[in-house]
């Protein structure tokens, strides 16, 4: 592949010398962002301590908040109920 100018949005365009096909390449930073998210999650730092007062960190890691860890599959059968709740300190 050889550099062949830029697209209208400013991305580098590449052209194959053999077949003439043109394409662009984007870096996938999902693994790096996940590593940063898990590192923050297991630390004692706050989001305010992150660079940019946490705004950049929240934008880059927003897709990872929806990931729920699944329990490991075991051969034994147990009668277990997983419950998630919020305790509110008000008299409702």
């Amino acid at each position: 592949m050889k550099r062949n100018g830029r697209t209208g949005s400013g991305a580098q365009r590449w052209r194959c010398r053999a077949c003439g096909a043109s394409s662009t390449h984007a870096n996938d930073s999902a693994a790096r962002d996940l590593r940063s998210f898990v590192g923050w999650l297991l630390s004692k730092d706050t989001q305010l301590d992150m660079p940019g007062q946490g705004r950049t960190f929240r934008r880059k890691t927003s897709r990872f908040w929806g990931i729920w860890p699944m329990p490991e599959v075991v051969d034994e059968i147990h009668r277990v109920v997983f419950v998630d709740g919020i305790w509110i300190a008000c008299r409702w």
Side-chain angles (χ1 to χ4, degrees):
M1 300 290 275
K2 176 186 170 194
R3 284 190 224 172
N4 190 32
R6 297 204 173 261
T7 63
S9 64
Q12 179 68 53
R13 184 181 289 133
W14 298 88
R15 180 170 303 279
C16 178
R17 292 181 179 183
C19 66
S22 177
S23 66
T24 59
H25 175 74
N27 290 329
D28 185 14
S29 62
R32 182 181 61 223
D33 293 340
L34 179 62
R35 195 174 319 117
S36 173
F37 177 72
V38 171
W40 169 80
L41 195 61
L42 300 176
S43 72
K44 293 183 179 183
D45 296 335
T46 64
Q47 289 183 2
L48 192 60
D49 297 335
M50 301 304 285
Q53 295 181 344
R55 289 188 293 265
T56 304
F57 174 76
R58 284 191 295 274
R59 179 178 49 80
K60 288 183 175 183
T61 60
S62 63
R63 59 185 156 183
F64 303 122
W65 282 105
I67 297 175
W68 285 88
M70 298 302 295
E72 295 180 14
V73 178
V74 293
D75 296 341
E76 302 170 6
I77 298 175
H78 298 282
R79 295 183 182 189
V80 177
V81 177
F82 288 98
V83 179
D84 185 15
I86 299 174
W87 181 76
I88 301 174
C90 297
R91 296 179 69 187
W92 290 29

